[in-house]
Amino acid sequence: MRLKILEQTPTLLKLQLKPAAILYWFFGGLFVAGGVLLITTLAKTTTFTCNRVEPTQQSCQLITKSILKSQVKNWNLKEVLGAKLDTTTDAGNSYPLVLVTRDGSIPIDLVNADSTQKESKAAQINAFLKKNSREAKLTIHEDSRLWTYPLGLFLIASGAVCIIYMLMNNIIICILDKTLDKATIKREGWFGKEVVEAKLSEISGLNIDAVAIDTVTGTSSTSYNIVLNLVSDKNIYLAAGPMFTAKSAEQTLDAIASFLKLD
């Protein structure tokens, strides 16, 4: 939060506060981009099926569907030679599962499975493909949308909240007028203006507790707000939320306390 004293006399103090928008834009954009990337790259369904029904239906099919595209590959059962883990490619300590065909290797993209689970899937496929196997059908299915959609939407919503939160609190004007005995807080944002007023003399009797720093501690950071404590036990906050840094909160508190001559 950036503090600017617009006007100061013995009877009037006018402060302008602007949020440090860079962090809100950065984290907001980061969360939104992360959510979109998660949904577009990892949210998919993968289904691999093989049928052995004599004498006509002996085929295998791989279907991959995502929000951007769908792919379908078909083979005759005799064209599928087996399945294995591609140990030449290490994707986050989880080797890709590939289907070996006469035309080459095709990846079976399993997002939720680790190497052990993929080895088990490869063993299932290889067991089915054995000539002495009596299984009529094999199905391997995975739907990563069950967790990627909720997490992706949560990230997008969190990013949107950061951006909207900043836009709602574009400029804050704090006016303390001893002549009119009035404290006025104006919050101007892209979505409108909010005005909060109170009698200056009701701010906790103008004692040392009249103005305080409200601290909000998160998992990885601490934010602050300035609160005016009223005699009626109601509180007036300068910002709609904890948007101050420790330094800007201390500067704002000192400016108000000095004007009100709080002991």
Side-chain angles (χ1 to χ4, degrees), residues 41-108:
T41 59
L42 297 182
K44 62 182 67 176
T45 60
T46 301
T47 305
F48 176 69
T49 57
C50 283
N51 292 286
R52 183 188 285 114
V53 181
E54 299 289 353
T56 57
Q57 295 183 12
Q58 298 189 54
S59 61
C60 291
Q61 184 180 68
L62 177 62
I63 302 175
T64 304
K65 294 181 179 180
S66 68
I67 195 170
L68 297 178
K69 63 179 180 179
S70 297
Q71 288 184 332
V72 180
K73 297 181 182 296
N74 295 286
W75 300 273
N76 185 281
L77 187 60
K78 295 180 180 180
E79 295 177 319
V80 181
L81 305 179
K84 65 177 183 178
L85 267 64
D86 182 6
T87 56
T88 62
T89 303
D90 187 359
N93 296 322
S94 180
Y95 298 113
L97 173 63
V98 295
L99 190 68
V100 181
T101 71
R102 290 182 179 178
D103 296 328
S105 297
I106 305 297
I108 301 178

Side-chain angles (χ1 to χ4, degrees), residues 134-146:
R134 295 184 179 181
E135 290 185 70
K137 186 172 184 178
L138 169 71
T139 300
I140 293 175
H141 177 73
E142 180 188 84
D143 189 350
S144 63
R145 299 174 302 176
L146 299 176

Side-chain angles (χ1 to χ4, degrees), residues 63-262:
I63 302 175
T64 304
K65 294 181 179 180
S66 68
I67 195 170
L68 297 178
K69 63 179 180 179
S70 297
Q71 288 184 332
V72 180
K73 297 181 182 296
N74 295 286
W75 300 273
N76 185 281
L77 187 60
K78 295 180 180 180
E79 295 177 319
V80 181
L81 305 179
K84 65 177 183 178
L85 267 64
D86 182 6
T87 56
T88 62
T89 303
D90 187 359
N93 296 322
S94 180
Y95 298 113
L97 173 63
V98 295
L99 190 68
V100 181
T101 71
R102 290 182 179 178
D103 296 328
S105 297
I106 305 297
I108 301 178
D109 194 6
L110 299 178
V111 177
N112 299 336
D114 57 20
S115 292
T116 301
Q117 293 168 323
K118 290 176 183 178
E119 284 182 352
S120 176
K121 302 295 185 185
Q124 282 183 258
I125 296 172
N126 292 330
F128 179 86
L129 294 174
K130 288 182 179 179
K131 292 182 179 181
N132 59 354
S133 174
R134 295 184 179 181
E135 290 185 70
K137 186 172 184 178
L138 169 71
T139 300
I140 293 175
H141 177 73
E142 180 188 84
D143 189 350
S144 63
R145 299 174 302 176
L146 299 176
W147 65 271
T148 50
Y149 273 178
L151 180 57
L153 292 174
F154 172 76
L155 290 174
I156 293 172
S158 299
V161 168
C162 288
I163 294 172
I164 292 173
Y165 190 58
M166 186 275 301
L167 295 177
M168 290 176 62
N169 296 275
N170 192 25
I171 296 177
I172 301 170
I173 303 295
C174 174
I175 303 173
L176 305 179
D177 193 328
K178 292 181 180 179
T179 302
L180 299 177
D181 189 25
K182 182 186 290 187
T184 305
I185 311 298
K186 297 180 180 179
R187 305 189 190 109
E188 301 176 2
W190 285 25
F191 303 110
K193 180 188 296 185
E194 181 183 11
V195 179
V196 180
E197 295 182 339
K199 288 187 177 182
L200 202 61
S201 57
E202 289 185 355
I203 302 177
S204 287
L206 298 181
N207 58 38
I208 195 171
D209 298 323
V211 185
I213 296 177
D214 184 55
T215 303
V216 178
T217 302
T219 55
S220 59
S221 63
T222 302
S223 300
Y224 306 87
N225 204 345
I226 300 297
V227 56
L228 307 179
N229 297 306
L230 302 185
V231 176
S232 60
D233 293 331
K234 293 182 179 180
N235 298 328
I236 296 178
Y237 292 90
L238 262 64
M243 306 180 69
F244 287 79
T245 62
K247 182 179 180 180
S248 63
E250 195 67 39
Q251 290 175 338
T252 305
L253 176 67
D254 290 344
I256 295 175
S258 177
F259 173 75
L260 295 177
K261 294 181 171 56
L262 302 180

